[in-house]
Amino acid sequence: MTDFLLRDVNFPDDAEAVAEVLSVANPGWPTTAELVLHANEHRDPSFYFTEVLAEQSGRVVGVGEIGHDTFSHEDWRYWGNVSVHPDARGQGIGTAMYDELLRRVQERGARELRTMLGDQPQDEPGAAFLKARGFDPRWERYESSLHTRDVNLTSFDDLMTQVAAGGLALRSLAELSGPDHERWLYELDWLLFQDVPLGLTLTRRPFEQWVKDELQDPTLRPELSFVAVDPTRDDPLTGPYVGYSTIGWNPAGAYAYIGMTGVLREVRGRGVAKALKVAAMRALHAAGGGEIRTFNDAPNRAMLTMNAALGFRRTATRTRYELRLDGEQ
């Protein structure tokens, strides 16, 4: 066993080392130094966030981070993660980082901690770590995937014709412009998220932060992300937009992933959400093809059924763990 020390992160110098630890600790969702730096530079400064690194023989072997749960914010609720390089596990490094992060947020009056973990073999030590500290599994999210080469994309021709005949056009984000289109997307995104069964009370981001998080995300592929447009509609909030589906690209893992997919309530039942995903699949196939991953919460039966009909197959389950520090349940 080699001694280690804890220290604060120093960007940009530590970006490569942080990305390496995060990637080997979570190989299903690898990252890059560029993405680490982007997240650090575009984080909302109105929320608390702190990081700690574990260094051993001059090498970063652990990354711990914790901050306000910005997705469902309460000043006493925090979301965190501790990652240790597989080569350095079993030496108390994860415990030391956890204890330090816990100390920092308890000084701020933390009452609840949240994190998320998968069910793959490499996640088993993490699950045991959480349970030993009193974390309870509270919510499941399913990961599914398909490869465009395995899908008969012509089988959806009738669906695409039906949607077009209903007066809706599917336009990629790359095609959209105008002074209001970002604001329309922002309002649409918020309306759609109200109907996603997440088991959370959502916190709305300011428009400027939403643009940074979503439209300026370096992984977003605008040419693969589509919006359903009704040219006869002029809604004061969403303009002519009635639905959308976004696609990101993980440069470290070389796969695409679906962000948000949804349509307004009055447009449901017409196959629009499915058509948006088909449009993305066709665009990715035309660009060379590849794997697409998607994530859906367990109660979202409608989207899980739709994804299965498109060819997605379940690959993993991610569980949200929670720890009440005040003894409440």
Side-chain angles (χ1 to χ4, degrees):
M1 182 178 295
T2 305
D3 290 341
F4 62 88
L5 62 86
L6 301 186
R7 65 172 176 84
D8 290 330
V9 67
N10 178 27
F11 287 132
D13 295 347
D14 288 324
E16 288 283 355
V18 168
E20 178 186 0
V21 172
L22 295 178
S23 295
V24 297
N26 186 13
W29 194 267
T31 189
T32 66
E34 291 75 19
L35 293 179
V36 168
L37 287 173
H38 179 86
N40 179 68
E41 293 166 358
H42 292 79
R43 189 171 288 113
D44 188 339
S46 65
F47 293 110
Y48 176 79
F49 182 83
T50 186
E51 289 178 283
V52 63
L53 302 185
E55 193 173 88
Q56 191 174 58
S57 301
R59 175 192 177 202
V60 174
V61 295
V63 178
E65 54 188 22
I66 196 166
H68 278 132
D69 183 351
T70 60
F71 206 67
S72 181
H73 176 254
E74 295 287 353
D75 198 52
W76 42 263
R77 178 183 293 140
Y78 293 82
W79 186 285
N81 185 61
V82 170
S83 302
V84 179
H85 196 291
D87 295 345
R89 292 176 181 168
Q91 302 180 51
I93 293 173
T95 295
M97 290 193 298
Y98 173 83
D99 289 346
E100 173 59 19
L101 295 173
L102 180 61
R103 181 191 67 79
R104 294 182 186 184
V105 296
Q106 282 186 314
E107 287 182 347
R108 297 177 52 84
R111 290 159 45 193
E112 181 179 284
L113 305 183
R114 290 177 171 176
T115 190
M116 184 163 278
L117 193 65
D119 64 347
Q120 300 305 295
Q122 68 269 11
D123 300 316
E124 292 176 1
F129 183 95
L130 293 173
K131 291 175 182 177
R133 284 154 182 81
F135 282 81
D136 293 318
R138 294 291 190 181
W139 192 263
E140 288 188 342
R141 176 170 296 163
Y142 301 140
E143 176 180 341
S144 304
S145 71
L146 61 75
H147 198 288
T148 56
R149 66 171 176 245
D150 300 325
V151 181
N152 177 12
L153 294 173
T154 61
S155 66
F156 302 110
D157 286 351
D158 288 346
L159 169 68
M160 305 306 275
T161 299
Q162 170 190 317
V163 169
L168 299 183
L170 305 186
R171 298 283 182 259
S172 74
L173 283 180
E175 298 176 87
L176 301 180
S177 61
D180 298 318
H181 86 278
E182 290 185 350
R183 179 69 67 171
W184 289 337
L185 285 172
Y186 170 69
E187 298 291 350
L188 178 64
D189 180 79
W190 179 244
L191 289 173
L192 297 180
F193 259 114
Q194 307 312 299
D195 291 334
V196 179
L198 296 169
L200 301 170
T201 300
L202 300 181
T203 298
R204 192 176 195 187
R205 290 168 287 181
F207 171 68
E208 294 76 12
Q209 186 63 40
W210 181 87
V211 170
K212 290 180 182 179
D213 293 343
E214 304 296 334
L215 301 184
Q216 295 176 4
D217 182 345
T219 67
L220 178 69
R221 293 288 296 270
E223 75 281 9
L224 305 181
S225 304
F226 286 83
V227 177
V229 181
D230 181 350
T232 68
R233 181 186 177 95
D234 186 20
D235 187 87
L237 291 178
T238 65
Y241 300 165
V242 297
Y244 84 121
S245 182
T246 59
I247 290 283
W249 181 263
N250 186 324
Y255 57 80
Y257 61 91
I258 296 175
M260 175 61 178
T261 298
V263 296
L264 295 175
R265 294 179 183 179
E266 58 266 33
V267 186
R268 292 174 193 166
R270 296 163 54 182
V272 179
K274 190 174 183 179
L276 286 165
K277 292 193 175 187
V278 171
M281 291 160 59
R282 288 181 168 182
L284 178 59
H285 181 71
E291 179 188 6
I292 305 178
R293 300 182 185 182
T294 189
F295 304 87
N296 301 109
D297 296 271
N300 199 348
R301 305 309 307 175
M303 192 59 72
L304 288 166
T305 300
M306 178 193 302
N307 286 337
L310 288 168
F312 283 92
R313 295 295 176 261
R314 185 92 55 84
T315 56
T317 299
R318 296 174 181 267
T319 301
R320 187 174 77 229
Y321 288 84
E322 299 179 3
L323 172 66
R324 292 294 304 205
L325 299 170
D326 55 8
E328 296 185 10
Q329 298 297 320

